Amino acid sequence: MRVRMPLVMVTAGLALAGCGSSGSNEATPLSASSVAVTPAASPTAHAAERIGADADGKDVSLAVGQGLIVTLEANPTTGYAWQVGQLDQNVVKQNGSPDYEQDSNPDGKVGVGGKSVLNFVAAAPGSTTLSLSYMRAWEQGMEPAKRFTVNVTVR
């Protein structure tokens, strides 16, 4: 179980506040209800921009801190995966590893495709090109089966 440091610090503070004598020069002990815990990062005021294959070759505008979610057709059973090529990570950063959402498969067939979901976040004002290639990682020097490119401006 992973405990976050702010929670540990608040708990330790509460434990220490309850210790000691009740002399008139001491501060009033803190209770859990009197301590405000501020999250490490506040949620952005802008909803994430969601794009798909129809955005290929287009321009996308984001605010600093805004998410960009790219959803593209994929089938990992073929060995192919979307890989980030060109991207200025000072302007837009990849946020974690791609997720995969399998298409419905009522018959339980093997090898059914789905969608690859890649998450990014606007880090700083500027412009960059997000270039993705659908390829097999072990096939070096081969042309990708598909490409996807968007021009991203962060304001």
Side-chain angles (χ1 to χ4, degrees):
M1 181 173 168
R2 185 176 152 199
V3 179
R4 295 188 183 243
M5 187 54 74
L7 181 57
V8 172
M9 297 301 289
V10 167
T11 305
L14 290 174
L16 289 174
C19 295
S21 64
S22 57
S24 61
N25 292 336
E26 291 187 28
T28 305
L30 298 174
S31 68
S33 61
S34 68
V35 177
V37 179
T38 304
S42 61
T44 179
H46 301 281
E49 181 75 25
R50 296 177 176 272
I51 61 174
D54 58 337
D56 188 29
K58 297 190 176 165
D59 297 331
V60 176
S61 182
L62 303 172
V64 172
Q66 186 175 8
L68 174 64
I69 300 171
V70 181
T71 304
L72 300 169
E73 296 291 323
N75 189 339
T77 64
T78 63
Y80 284 90
W82 286 101
Q83 298 175 20
V84 177
Q86 181 180 351
L87 178 65
D88 183 347
Q89 297 261 347
N90 293 316
V91 177
V92 175
K93 292 184 180 185
Q94 187 169 6
N95 190 11
S97 299
D99 289 325
Y100 177 73
E101 297 172 355
Q102 182 175 323
D103 288 343
S104 63
N105 185 9
D107 299 330
K109 295 178 182 175
V110 177
V112 173
K115 293 171 182 56
S116 184
V117 182
L118 298 97
N119 289 284
F120 302 89
V121 65
S127 295
T128 186
T129 298
L130 169 59
S131 177
L132 303 172
S133 297
Y134 190 62
M135 56 193 300
R136 295 179 173 139
W138 67 86
E139 291 184 338
Q140 301 299 317
M142 301 288 292
E143 282 295 312
K146 302 177 194 174
R147 294 181 191 272
F148 176 85
T149 303
V150 291
N151 299 308
V152 183
T153 300
V154 179
R155 54 188 191 289

